[in-house]
Every structure is written in C-alpha cells, then in structure tokens.
Amino acid sequence: MKHIPKIAVVGPESTGKSTMSDYLAAHYHTIAVPEYSREYCAALTEPCTWQDEINMFQGQLALEASLLPKANHVLICDTTFLTVKIWSEHMFGQAPQEVLDELPKHPYDFYLLLDIDLPWQDDPLRNFPELREHFMAVWHKELTALQARYVVISGIDTNRYENAVKVIDDFLTAD
C-alpha cells in the first residue's frame, strides 16, 4: 500500500484546529479525521475520568485507522492522541502508559502547530482561556520530544489558511 502522508493540526484550545482541518481537507481534496474527544466529551454527563482519557485515545486511533484508506494522497488529522497525553498530565499528573507506549509507534509526517494569535472563542468544551501560553509551550516541548517535523501557523482569517497551505505544499514537494 502506498504511504499516505499524515498531517496533524494541533495546538492549544481555540486556535482553529477543526476549521483549519476542514479547510485543508477541502483544499487538498481529501478527508479530515475529526477530533474524537470532542464528540466523546460532549456526551459526558460527569467530569472526565482516567478511563475516559483511555477511551478517547483508543477512539482517536480507531477513527484515524478507519479513515486512512479513504484519504486522497494526504490525510489531515484534526489533532492526535498526543492531546490525551497532554490533558492527562494536566488533569491527573500523568498519562496512561498505553498512550506513552503508542506515541512512538504512530508518527505523523508533519505537524501544524496553530498559534494562539486568534481571539478566544467560548465553547462549553473549552476550559482554560488563561492557560493558552502554557499549553503552547507544552505543545512545543512535546513535539520537540517526539523529534517531530512541525511549523507554527499564525495569521488571521485567510492569511492563516494561506500560511498553512504554503508550508504543506513545501513539505509535500520536498519529500
């Protein structure tokens, strides 16, 4: 089977990841893997538990695996299960071992780390408007630890999308 490059769109809350992922999927005539945890958390009636984090990790992996065969030359991923590691460490002080074990086994070819230069948008599933700089630093640390290829995407409105398309085009033509 031909290798389909996986491009992950990641970053702190309220940086436009879902909108960017949908835009990029349309631009590249492919499919975007949605953020599994968004729908999962929307259905919760109690605060998120350790088991919920594991369920979100497993759900994100399964969703990505099910959509990869439908991708057209590139797969756009609206976040990755690295988010489970980051949130688990923030909420519970540690990440599930199975998440840590799987991280090096599920690499992404390229990451777009969306900058916190967009205004905060309230959403019932967003919790930490005052910690955006903290989580931006965490994302840099995590991507560096994975030795991931990534670029920070900044800009407002169409400029943000144009910046993302340019770096993806450069990435796809370089490989």
Side-chain angles (χ1 to χ4, degrees), residues 10-25:
V10 299
E13 294 178 306
S14 193
T15 54
K17 295 179 294 293
S18 297
T19 304
M20 178 67 79
S21 296
D22 291 343
Y23 174 85
L24 293 172

Side-chain angles (χ1 to χ4, degrees), residues 8 14 26 35 37 44 52 74 83 94-95 101 113-114 116 119 122 130 150 170:
S14 193
E35 180 184 10
S37 62
L44 291 177
D52 289 324
V74 66
T83 303
Q94 62 182 359
D101 292 345
L113 175 56
L114 300 191
I116 56 175
D122 281 329
E130 73 285 356
Y150 77 98
D170 289 349

Side-chain angles (χ1 to χ4, degrees), residues 23 155-164:
Y23 174 85
I156 305 298
D157 299 324
T158 57
N159 185 253
R160 193 176 194 87
Y161 301 120
E162 291 165 359
N163 292 340

Side-chain angles (χ1 to χ4, degrees), residues 40-93:
Y40 185 95
C41 289
L44 291 177
T45 57
E46 301 289 326
C48 191
T49 67
W50 183 257
Q51 186 59 52
D52 289 324
E53 294 292 341
I54 293 169
N55 295 348
M56 287 184 276
F57 152 71
Q58 292 169 339
Q60 189 71 42
L61 275 182
L63 183 58
E64 187 177 301
S66 73
L67 293 176
L68 182 60
K70 299 175 183 178
N72 179 22
H73 72 273
V74 66
L75 183 69
I76 306 296
C77 300
D78 179 359
T79 205
T80 72
F81 72 88
L82 179 55
T83 303
V84 171
K85 177 185 186 297
I86 291 169
W87 281 107
S88 295
E89 289 176 346
H90 181 76
M91 302 296 288
F92 303 109

